[in-house]
Amino acid sequence: GIFLGVGGGVLLLLAFTVGYKYLVMERRCTCRTNGTVTGYSAVSYGGEVSAVHLPAVRYTVEGQEYRVTGPRYRGYVTRTVSTPFAENTCRCYEKNGVLHIKRSRNSFAGIAKPLAEQYPIGTVLPVWFDPQKPKLSYVLRCPNNKWIFWLLFLCGLVVWLACALILILL
């Protein structure tokens, strides 16, 4: 029962350390500034096949420089055609918060970073940030990731309830 209780506690701790910012982000991030794309995330989003590297955007608030990765998407849909004689082309568009990527790759030498073509280095993007805590920010639109908090929080509560039931019944 102790290990189950600790596991539930870890899930609750993760809910507040990882997911809580998504609950308050839309309400708190009221100030807008411009940020510049300076690179791309080292982590690829959307799985190995789609390999989407989000733009890394730097912005300045009251002389202090901050970095945010975005814009974030709810999901990624990739359609790749790879043949030996194809040109390396990539077309991206967003629909309902989902990034759709259509690629044509040369199977011998086909490398494409979809968002690098859509947001090249030096592109200026709007960044919304919390005036009290400027590190809390997002690019273009607020990510709809409140589900992360609620999933971790509810799973932690369920595990704690299961732990309590086990201890009561034993």
Side-chain angles (χ1 to χ4, degrees):
I2 293 173
F3 290 116
L4 200 57
V6 169
V10 168
L11 286 172
L12 290 172
L13 181 69
L14 281 173
F16 283 97
T17 56
V18 174
Y20 184 71
K21 69 179 178 182
Y22 296 117
L23 282 180
V24 299
M25 188 177 280
E26 192 170 15
R27 186 172 23 99
R28 284 187 176 172
C29 295
T30 56
C31 293
R32 182 184 182 271
T33 187
N34 287 326
T36 307
V37 176
T38 57
Y40 302 93
S41 64
V43 177
S44 65
Y45 296 86
E48 246 181 77
V49 176
S50 56
V52 174
H53 295 273
L54 298 177
V57 179
R58 291 197 187 273
Y59 62 100
T60 305
V61 176
E62 297 178 1
Q64 180 72 32
E65 188 173 77
Y66 298 94
R67 181 177 178 263
V68 62
T69 304
R72 298 212 180 251
Y73 299 94
R74 274 190 353 201
Y76 305 92
V77 176
T78 304
R79 182 173 174 255
T80 304
V81 176
S82 183
T83 62
F85 303 109
E87 284 186 45
N88 289 320
T89 60
C90 185
R91 196 179 126 237
C92 302
Y93 63 93
E94 180 185 349
K95 185 176 181 182
N96 297 328
V98 176
L99 181 66
H100 294 265
I101 304 166
K102 292 186 177 183
R103 298 184 204 198
S104 174
R105 291 178 19 175
N106 185 305
S107 59
F108 292 121
I111 298 173
K113 287 187 177 180
L115 293 180
E117 295 173 11
Q118 189 168 354
Y119 303 111
I121 291 180
T123 301
V124 176
L125 295 172
V127 177
W128 280 265
F129 64 93
D130 179 359
Q132 304 299 320
K133 192 177 176 184
K135 189 173 175 85
L136 181 64
S137 61
Y138 60 88
V139 179
L140 286 180
R141 69 190 163 286
C142 188
N144 189 11
N145 291 336
K146 294 175 186 175
W147 63 271
I148 293 172
F149 172 80
W150 290 114
L151 178 72
L152 291 170
F153 183 76
L154 293 174
C155 284
L157 283 179
V158 167
V159 169
W160 267 6
L161 289 173
C163 177
L165 281 174
I166 289 172
L167 292 175
I168 289 171
L169 295 176
L170 293 179

